[in-house]
Amino acid sequence: MKHLKLLFVVITLSASIIYSQDDAASSTLLNKGDKAPQFKVQSLSGEWLDSEHLKGKVTLINFWATWCPPCRAEFPLLQKEIYDTIKEKDFYVLAISRGEETDTVKKFIDKNKYTFPIYVDKEAKVYNLFANKYIPRNFVIGKDGIIKWASIGFIKEEFYEMIKVIKEELNK
């Protein structure tokens, strides 16, 4: 009986891991090698950015939310290791808050003193061009408009791999 319980636990855990991997994959609408979609997004200050403006630049799009613990863990590195460090004229950072009100996002940004460009996607229209579930998500788009990196969640080692991809794209 003890072995049966253990077997049941192992099978259940394995099934849930497989399901969550399949669920994450099925919620991803764009992957490495896909062309980035056209979109418009509004900044915290109310200005609109059209993705046409990003042509010929390497762009990091980070989808996040103020309530998301992995997003909050990633933000200090986004500030220090990317925005403050990579000072290239052909590089653009877009941190897009998914499904939140401007006031909520502004309070969070002001409290934490982040200085990278913040955009608000209240209805998740831009987010839904890329994915339909899970944050944080990062997409690195090359100068050619093709997605060079896509990730779900925050893993520090993976974050540093993304920085390598950004630098490689900038050197092309």
Side-chain angles (χ1 to χ4, degrees), residues 3-150:
H3 293 294
L4 282 175
K5 285 182 182 179
L6 180 61
L7 181 61
F8 176 75
V9 169
V10 169
I11 290 171
T12 303
L13 285 173
S14 298
S16 65
I17 290 168
I18 291 167
Y19 171 76
S20 65
Q21 290 172 337
D22 287 347
D23 189 42
S26 69
S27 72
T28 303
L29 305 177
L30 294 174
N31 291 290
K32 181 179 172 182
D34 292 336
K35 184 163 179 46
Q38 298 272 169
F39 61 87
K40 285 186 180 181
V41 67
Q42 194 171 26
S43 71
L44 266 183
S45 60
E47 298 163 4
W48 286 92
L49 174 74
D50 188 316
S51 59
E52 284 291 313
H53 175 75
L54 304 172
K55 280 190 173 178
K57 297 181 178 171
V58 175
T59 304
L60 169 60
I61 298 177
N62 171 273
F63 291 104
W64 66 285
T66 60
W67 52 263
C68 165
C71 302
R72 294 168 77 116
E74 184 176 55
F75 259 38
L77 286 177
L78 183 61
Q79 178 73 55
K80 183 181 175 198
E81 303 293 333
I82 294 180
Y83 189 72
D84 291 346
T85 305
I86 304 174
K87 299 290 187 184
E88 300 278 336
K89 66 179 172 79
D90 291 336
F91 179 60
Y92 206 84
V93 174
L94 248 70
I96 303 175
S97 170
R98 182 196 76 174
E100 294 188 286
E101 293 296 323
T102 303
D103 289 345
T104 303
V105 174
K106 185 165 181 21
K107 285 176 189 170
F108 175 80
I109 296 303
D110 290 348
K111 177 184 174 190
N112 293 286
K113 297 178 176 39
Y114 293 120
T115 60
F116 46 85
I118 302 291
Y119 295 84
V120 180
D121 186 17
K122 290 180 198 176
E123 297 169 7
K125 289 181 180 179
V126 176
Y127 176 79
N128 288 329
L129 296 172
F130 290 82
N132 58 30
K133 204 187 290 186
Y134 304 118
I135 52 174
R137 282 185 182 260
N138 287 298
F139 293 88
V140 175
I141 302 168
K143 294 176 186 177
D144 58 1
I146 302 298
I147 296 171
K148 307 298 181 177
W149 174 271

